[in-house]
Amino acid sequence: MPKIGMEPIRKEQVIEATKRCIVRKGLANLSIKDIAAAAGVSTGIIYHYFENKEDVLLQVLKESFRTSHEKVMQTVEPLPNPVDKFFAHLENINAVPKDNPEFYIVLLNYLGQSTHNPQIRKIVTKFFYNLRSYTENYLRIKTEADPTAACHLKNLPVILYALGLGLGIMWTLDNDFYDIEEMGESLKEWLAKYLDLTGKGPQDGSVG
C-alpha cells in the first residue's frame, strides 16, 4: 500500500519518466510497462495514482505546459514595463528549443494525437489561447494610448507565436537549419521596428 504523503512525489516520478519515454520512443509506442520501468515503480503504483494510460499522458501534457509557463513568468512578471515584458517573453520563446529541447519533442508527439483526441486538443488549444492572451496584455498599454495602433497590432500575438512555434519545431528537428541566436536577434529587431520602438513606424501596416 502506498505510503501517506507520497502521492505528489510518485506522480512527479511517473510524469517525468513518461516524458523520457516519449522522447526516447514516441507516444504511439508507449506502454504502461515502459513507464513503470522508467520510473522504477510497479504498474500497480501507476494505476493507484492515475486512472489509466490516457490520464498519465494528459497529466504529462499539462505538466509540460505548466513548467513552460512558470519559467516564463519567473523572468517576465518582475519587469515593470509592458514592453520589457513583451521582449523578455519573446526571448523565452526563442530559448525554449535550446534550453528545454524535450518540450518540442513532447509537443510534436501530442499534436499528432490532437486531431482525434478531444481532451488533448482542448489542452493544446488552451495553451495557445493563454499565449495569445499574455502578449495581448503586454501590448494593451500601447493600443490604449494610440487607438490607431490597435489595427496594426490586432493579429501580432498570433503571428508571434506562429513564428515561435514554427521556428522551435524546425530547430528541434534540425539544429543546423538556422542559427538560433541570430534568429532571436532578428526577431527582436523586426518587432522593435514594427512596434515603433526605434523611431520607425509599421511598414505600411503590412503586419497584423
Side-chain angles (χ1 to χ4, degrees):
M1 186 170 185
K3 296 179 180 178
I4 296 175
M6 287 295 291
E7 181 172 354
I9 296 172
R10 288 300 190 201
K11 281 189 171 182
E12 182 179 0
Q13 189 178 354
V14 171
I15 287 171
E16 289 303 314
T18 306
K19 285 184 189 177
R20 293 195 301 272
C21 288
I22 292 172
V23 170
R24 188 173 67 249
K25 64 187 303 181
L27 198 62
N29 301 314
L30 194 59
S31 70
I32 285 291
K33 287 184 178 180
D34 294 326
I35 297 170
V41 300
S42 67
T43 56
I45 287 289
I46 294 177
Y47 285 120
H48 178 79
Y49 294 116
F50 300 90
E51 292 182 13
N52 46 40
K53 177 184 168 182
E54 183 176 21
D55 184 28
V56 176
L57 297 178
L58 291 174
Q59 296 307 317
V60 168
L61 183 59
K62 290 179 180 178
E63 177 67 14
S64 294
F65 288 157
R66 184 189 66 78
T67 302
S68 176
H69 167 75
E70 287 182 352
K71 184 176 181 180
V72 171
M73 291 301 104
Q74 286 171 3
T75 57
V76 171
E77 284 305 305
L79 300 173
N81 188 304
V83 173
D84 291 338
K85 288 178 184 286
F86 176 83
F87 279 95
H89 202 138
L90 177 64
E91 288 175 358
N92 273 277
I93 295 170
N94 293 333
V96 168
K98 189 174 181 180
D99 295 346
N100 183 18
E102 290 185 355
F103 176 82
Y104 276 105
I105 297 174
V106 171
L107 179 60
L108 280 169
N109 273 273
Y110 280 94
L111 287 177
Q113 300 288 322
S114 62
T115 55
H116 54 269
N117 186 314
Q119 289 181 292
I120 290 177
R121 183 167 62 250
K122 182 178 179 180
I123 294 170
V124 172
T125 53
K126 182 180 179 181
F127 175 67
F128 291 158
Y129 273 102
N130 286 341
L131 289 177
R132 186 181 72 180
S133 176
Y134 301 146
T135 307
E136 287 173 341
N137 287 335
Y138 304 148
L139 297 174
R140 183 166 289 121
I141 189 170
K142 187 172 181 65
T143 57
E144 289 177 348
D146 179 10
T148 60
C151 176
H152 297 301
L153 301 180
K154 177 182 177 182
N155 291 318
L156 183 59
V158 175
I159 293 170
L160 174 63
Y161 287 108
L163 279 170
L165 291 169
L167 288 169
I169 289 171
M170 286 187 284
W171 195 85
T172 298
L173 296 176
D174 183 357
N175 296 170
D176 295 324
F177 191 68
Y178 66 87
D179 185 312
I180 195 169
E181 305 296 341
E182 184 180 280
M183 182 63 74
E185 291 303 314
S186 294
L187 284 174
K188 284 195 291 184
E189 181 181 354
W190 172 70
L191 284 167
K193 289 179 180 179
Y194 189 74
L195 292 172
D196 201 18
L197 300 177
T198 62
K200 299 178 182 179
Q203 300 298 312
D204 301 322
S206 58
V207 180

